[in-house]
């Protein structure tokens, strides 16, 4: 049984933990405040979940999900995540994260920043453009009519295949944007950010995305 480690256990992290347990994974949840603050969530998730530190979550996991405010990226431990697939759900909100010039100027993407911090990991952008509650309510079996699609981006083809398979298990189709440098196409204020879309509709939204003028 594979283990998914979550660094961050807020709205998205909690819902992904529920999906992971439901689909037969062990789950290790963590946050910046300590395992004791996650005791209730771990108990609610059941016997295949436990609370730990971010370092332990990274060490124990086969796949790691980083789901924290972007401003706290520097707190993510690097060594325990080396060589592992890391799912990045981060979005940039200046009112929360402070202004980051490289993002304001569209010189990089949040996912490229995550990859730079976790240089020895295989980062895949996913789950950043769906509202948390919809993760556990919008999933459907494969080939269902109108099945919702989620976008992914990444530089490692095998890592993207692994994440796409996980997304399929969770009840969604996958649309591959390409490398991390193209992940801006699903950042906030783009057409595909937020609304429910089939794969065909999401591809249209991704193609229609425009970067703001510099």
């Amino acid at each position: 049984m594979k283990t998914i480690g979550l660094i961050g256990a807020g709205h998205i992290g909690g819902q992904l933990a529920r999906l992971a347990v439901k689909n037969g994974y062990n789950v290790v949840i963590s946050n910046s405040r300590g395992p004791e603050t996650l005791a209730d969530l771990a108990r609610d998730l059941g016997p295949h979940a436990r609370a730990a530190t971010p370092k332990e979550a990274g060490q124990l996991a086969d796949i790691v999900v980083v789901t924290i405010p972007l401003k706290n990226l520097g707190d993510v431990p690097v060594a325990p995540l080396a060589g592992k697939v890391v799912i990045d759900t981060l979005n940039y909100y200046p009112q929360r994260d402070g202004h980051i010039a490289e993002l304001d100027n569209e010189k990089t993407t949040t996912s490229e920043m995550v990859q730079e911090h976790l240089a020895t990991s295989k980062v895949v952008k996913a789950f950043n453009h769906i509202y948390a509650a919809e993760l556990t309510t919008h999933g459907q079996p494969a080939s269902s009519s109108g099945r919702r699609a989620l976008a992914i981006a990444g530089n490692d083809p095998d890592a993207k295949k692994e994440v796409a398979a996980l997304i399929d298990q969770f009840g969604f189709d996958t649309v591959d944007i390409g490398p991390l440098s193209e992940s801006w196409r699903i950042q906030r204020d783009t057409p595909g950010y937020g609304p429910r879309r089939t794969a065909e509709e999401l591809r249209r939204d991704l193609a229609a995305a425009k970067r703001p003028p510099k």
Side-chain angles (χ1 to χ4, degrees):
M1 183 182 290
K2 284 192 172 185
T3 297
I4 294 180
L6 292 114
I7 297 177
H11 297 302
I12 292 287
Q15 296 297 76
L16 288 175
R18 295 180 195 284
L19 281 173
V21 168
K22 180 181 177 181
N23 284 276
Y25 291 86
N26 288 318
V27 170
V28 183
I29 53 175
S30 69
N31 64 13
S32 60
R33 294 178 294 131
E36 65 279 359
T37 66
L38 296 170
D40 289 344
L41 177 58
R43 187 163 46 248
D44 187 43
L45 290 169
H48 291 292
R50 57 166 289 196
T53 66
K55 180 179 178 181
E56 290 169 332
Q59 289 172 332
L60 295 169
D62 298 293
I63 299 175
V64 181
V65 181
V66 175
T67 179
I68 59 173
L70 179 62
K71 64 181 179 179
N72 297 331
L73 176 60
D75 297 334
V76 177
V78 175
L81 279 57
K84 296 184 178 182
V85 174
V86 175
I87 297 174
D88 153 38
T89 78
L90 277 56
N91 289 306
Y92 172 45
Y93 295 103
Q95 64 272 29
R96 177 197 65 190
D97 302 313
H99 280 280
I100 300 171
E102 293 85 354
L103 295 176
D104 290 339
N105 297 331
E106 299 282 339
K107 290 182 177 179
T108 189
T109 63
T110 57
S111 291
E112 287 174 296
M113 291 179 65
V114 176
Q115 183 66 82
E116 183 178 6
H117 178 65
L118 300 173
T120 55
S121 302
K122 294 169 279 191
V123 174
V124 178
K125 188 73 168 188
F127 301 117
N128 73 301
H129 65 100
I130 179 172
Y131 298 114
E134 294 171 355
L135 283 165
T136 49
T137 58
H138 280 196
Q140 296 174 271
S143 302
S144 295
S145 176
R147 194 186 200 207
R148 184 168 183 169
L150 299 178
I152 64 170
N155 298 340
D156 186 292
D158 291 334
K160 285 197 287 187
K161 287 179 183 177
E162 190 168 351
V163 174
L166 181 70
I167 290 173
D168 181 53
Q169 277 187 286
F170 286 179
F172 302 91
D173 288 338
T174 300
V175 173
D176 186 349
I177 302 175
L180 294 175
S181 60
E182 288 294 302
S183 62
W184 65 268
R185 292 184 179 277
I186 201 64
Q187 67 190 12
R188 62 178 177 83
D189 300 328
T190 56
Y193 185 86
R196 180 181 182 127
R197 293 287 187 261
T198 64
E200 182 180 352
E201 291 167 339
L202 183 55
R203 289 188 187 97
R204 286 202 297 265
D205 281 348
L206 293 167
K210 303 293 183 185
R211 279 188 140 164
K214 297 181 182 180

